[in-house]
Amino acid sequence: MEKNITVYGKPNCPHCELTKAYLKAKDIQFNYIDVTVDAAALNSIQEHGYQQLPVVSINDFESAWSGHSVPALVRLAMWDGE
């Protein structure tokens, strides 16, 4: 099963950049949404209780976390689709 990964972030956010860089380095496909230009996306992450960026959502918040979480990123990179 494919994972649909979305990273919600904003410009000049060091943790957002670290998270995106990790995913790119591991060749993990993801969508990036800038919450400073997408009010609906900002509202969505706030409705899910997140107040810190970045927010990484897997399969439309089936699983998600906020902040630059290396352990969560490592688990995501090790996921083999089964």
Side-chain angles (χ1 to χ4, degrees):
M1 180 180 162
E2 190 78 20
K3 285 196 176 193
N4 180 13
I5 301 165
T6 303
V7 177
Y8 297 88
K10 66 179 182 178
N12 302 315
C13 167
H15 289 218
C16 300
E17 294 305 318
L18 286 170
T19 297
K20 292 190 303 181
Y22 183 93
L23 294 172
K24 288 177 186 175
K26 297 294 184 181
D27 289 323
I28 297 172
Q29 298 294 312
F30 66 95
N31 298 309
Y32 175 74
I33 298 177
D34 180 345
V35 298
T36 67
V37 296
D38 189 331
L42 177 60
N43 190 44
S44 177
I45 63 172
Q46 289 173 335
E47 285 179 353
H48 283 90
Y50 296 105
Q51 299 178 351
Q52 177 186 13
L53 293 173
V55 172
V56 179
S57 167
I58 302 165
N59 296 338
D60 195 27
F61 292 96
E62 181 180 293
S63 176
W65 70 85
S66 66
H68 178 64
S69 172
V70 173
L73 289 168
V74 168
R75 282 193 303 275
L76 181 60
M78 292 173 54
W79 183 78
D80 64 6
E82 293 182 13

